[in-house]
Amino acid sequence: MNTSPIRIELTSEEGTELAARTRSQLMAHRDVLRARIVLLLADGCSVSSVARQVGKTRKIIRKWGERFVKQRLEGLRDKPGRGREPGFSPGGLGASGKARLRAA
């Protein structure tokens, strides 16, 4: 097994939490995947090996590994304000608050 340049030493609590996340049926897939990435890196797998196992790019593996090293479990959360702004509202208002739908 190749060693990773990202060195992760897990506490027993972190290891237990990450293992629980990987087994969760209720957690979002992205959170399960991030937990699996960190566990594989903590086991000493290389970035390339982890990327192949989880089907993601090396860049993504490094991102989550490095965020975990800096911020621990909190680093695995999405940053606020990420994602596309909604373009449709069930109430008929656009993201700007103005009506977007007209009756036929």
Side-chain angles (χ1 to χ4, degrees):
M1 189 178 298
N2 296 336
T3 59
S4 171
I6 302 171
R7 300 277 183 235
I8 297 179
E9 299 270 339
L10 297 175
T11 65
S12 60
E13 293 84 14
E14 289 171 336
T16 301
E17 172 64 23
L18 290 169
R21 289 182 186 190
T22 62
R23 293 187 305 268
S24 176
Q25 296 288 320
L26 302 174
M27 191 163 271
H29 176 70
R30 68 176 178 266
D31 297 327
V32 172
L33 189 62
R34 292 170 190 173
R36 186 169 175 218
I37 289 168
V38 172
L39 285 173
L40 289 168
L41 290 171
D43 283 344
C45 293
S46 70
V47 171
S48 296
S49 172
V50 175
R52 279 191 302 275
Q53 290 181 56
V54 300
K56 296 293 179 186
T57 64
R58 294 173 73 234
K59 180 180 177 181
I60 295 297
I61 305 307
R62 282 192 305 271
K63 171 187 175 177
W64 292 112
E66 290 168 0
R67 278 185 56 178
F68 183 83
V69 168
K70 292 176 186 170
Q71 302 171 14
R72 308 312 288 179
L73 290 172
E74 190 63 32
L76 299 182
R77 290 185 163 183
D78 284 333
K79 290 182 180 178
R82 305 302 300 170
R84 183 177 176 183
E85 291 291 324
F88 173 77
S89 167
L93 301 177
S96 65
K98 296 180 182 176
R100 292 184 52 157
L101 301 176
R102 291 188 292 169

